[in-house]
Structure formats: C-alpha cells, structure tokens
Amino acid sequence: IDAVRAAHEAGARVASLCTGAFVLAAAGLLDGKRATTHWAHTQELAGRHPRVTVDPDVLYVDNGSVLTSAGKAAAMDLCLHLVRLDHGSSVANTLARRLVVPPHRDGGQAQFVTTPVPAPGNHPLAELLPWAIQRLDHPLTVEDLARQARMSSRNLGRHFRSVTGTTPLQWLLTQRIRHAQELLETTDDTVDTIAAATGMGTATTLRRHFQRTVGVPPDTYRRTFRSRTRPGSNDGQHREPEP
C-alpha cells in the first residue's frame, strides 16, 4: 500500500485489475472517485471504503491517473484502453486482433469505440462483416446487408444481435466512427474528406455522430491522438476525454 501510494504521489499512473481495486482503495487513491471491481466483490469494496463510489455495472473506470477494472476479462479491456490512450486506436486494434479479442466492448459506460473488430469464428455473419467494412464509404442499408447475406432483414437483425450484440445500423455506425478515428489519427485529410470516406456524407453529420459517440469533436480528437502517436511521444499521463 505504501509503495502504491508513493508511486501515485510521484506521478505514476496506477491501474488495478479485478480485485486489485482493494489495494488502491486501501491506499486512499479511490477516495471521492468512481471505481469498479469484480461484480462478486463490489458490495464488499463499497462496505470497506464508503468514500469510494463503486460502480458494479461497468467494465472499467478511467479517472485519469487512477484506473480500475472489473473481472479478469475486463482487465484485458482496461489494458487495451491504456494502449489506445498511449498509442491510438489503430495500434490497439492491431493488438486486439492478435489477441483475438474486440478492442472494446460495451460495458454500461461511454467509451471511444464499441466492438470495432468483428467476432471471429464460423457464424452467419463471418463473410458479411468484412464485406461491409470494406464498403463503409457506400450508403449501405439493412436491405443491402440482408441481400448480401442472402437472408431476410428480420433474420439479419437476429444474427447481428447474437454475433455483435447490437443492430445492423448501430454496428455500421460504430464501424464508421472507428474508421474516422483511424483516419483522424493517421492522415491529414479534412473532416469533409473523412466524412465521405466513412459514408457519413457531410462533415456536419460526422461531427454530430462523432461528438455523441466519442465525446469530443473530430478536430479535438485529432489534436489529442496525433500528439500521442507521433514518433518520440511517450507521455503516459494523458487521459481519454470525458463523454
């Protein structure tokens, strides 16, 4: 506890995985903050440390220099989140594909991108999802996706819920936002150009959906992440903009 407290006071970013939140709470690092831990232990954490706002419904909580995650699988989500903060979503997505996990999962809190990588394996959408991702600049509809998958729109919706946890249109929007993030990080294209490349149509539409999903405008996102991903940048103290 003393070592953790000293490291934090020296400016280190401290993250707990699963029940590691009890150590952070004992060190006083979570006082007055929102935090999480494995759902089976959230009541005990709240009982031992009443000054901590324990949230049992999220995968992880980012308080800037102090972060906490839920169970072991959520610990992976938090670690990928840290990679995304320090190196950008493109690097995090590449790492997630190598680990065969989604770069981000829904967990009751707004984060940068939800499930940007299709679930691997033999499922009814295994061919459709990559096909759609390659055509994000097209005005795809549910009917277009159903036709390509050779199934009815109703069956398509059921399979999307099963495989991705969301609707076809919401999944498409998520992919467009993810692609916009990568273009903002890796190119100097204008917002208008990125809007066309991601199928958003206009910069106004892109800005509206990007702000609502990511929590910051595209220009702000670009300034933040381009500074983190440029060669020689190794500042681990940046935090994700709050929604």
Side-chain angles (χ1 to χ4, degrees), residues 113-114 136 167-179 198 200 205-206 209-210 212-213:
V113 183
T114 56
L136 292 177
T167 66
L169 289 181
Q170 183 58 48
W171 181 85
L172 272 176
L173 177 61
T174 295
Q175 307 316 307
R176 298 187 196 282
I177 295 296
R178 179 194 65 82
H179 188 36
T198 57
M200 290 289 191
T205 300
L206 173 59
H209 287 295
F210 198 95
R212 185 172 60 188
T213 302

Side-chain angles (χ1 to χ4, degrees), residues 16-34:
S16 68
L17 310 181
C18 195
T19 52
F22 283 85
V23 178
L24 270 58
L29 272 59
L30 300 180
D31 288 353
K33 295 183 174 64
R34 191 167 66 101

Side-chain angles (χ1 to χ4, degrees), residues 19-210:
T19 52
F22 283 85
V23 178
L24 270 58
L29 272 59
L30 300 180
D31 288 353
K33 295 183 174 64
R34 191 167 66 101
T36 194
T37 187
H38 191 285
W39 61 267
H41 305 290
T42 51
Q43 288 187 355
E44 183 177 357
L45 180 63
R48 287 193 192 182
H49 304 281
R51 296 184 63 187
V52 180
T53 302
V54 181
D55 190 340
D57 298 322
V58 296
L59 294 175
Y60 60 85
V61 176
D62 180 354
N63 287 301
S65 62
V66 180
L67 306 91
T68 55
S69 76
K72 293 179 177 63
M76 182 74 74
D77 291 293
L78 174 56
C79 291
L80 285 170
H81 170 69
L82 292 172
V83 172
R84 184 164 59 248
L85 287 178
D86 292 347
H87 304 288
S89 61
S90 179
V91 173
N93 289 348
T94 300
L95 175 58
R97 290 187 181 98
R98 176 171 292 186
L99 296 172
V100 198
V101 297
H104 189 80
R105 299 181 294 154
D106 280 325
Q109 62 178 2
Q111 296 291 336
F112 268 24
V113 183
T114 56
T115 321
V117 175
N122 295 321
H123 54 76
L125 305 181
E127 296 183 2
L128 177 65
L129 300 187
W131 178 88
I133 287 176
Q134 293 173 3
R135 292 165 176 79
L136 292 177
D137 58 329
H138 291 62
L140 297 174
T141 64
V142 173
E143 290 72 23
D144 293 331
L145 296 175
R147 190 180 307 112
Q148 178 66 24
R150 298 181 179 87
M151 63 180 68
S152 68
S153 298
R154 176 176 295 182
N155 282 339
L156 180 74
R158 185 171 64 251
H159 286 304
F160 256 89
R161 282 289 185 186
S162 175
V163 174
T164 71
T166 188
T167 66
L169 289 181
Q170 183 58 48
W171 181 85
L172 272 176
L173 177 61
T174 295
Q175 307 316 307
R176 298 187 196 282
I177 295 296
R178 179 194 65 82
H179 188 36
Q181 286 178 284
E182 292 189 351
L183 292 176
L184 288 166
E185 293 176 20
T186 60
T187 75
D188 293 319
D189 292 345
T190 65
V191 175
D192 288 281
T193 300
I194 292 175
T198 57
M200 290 289 191
T202 67
T204 300
T205 300
L206 173 59
R207 286 191 174 96
R208 182 174 69 252
H209 287 295
F210 198 95

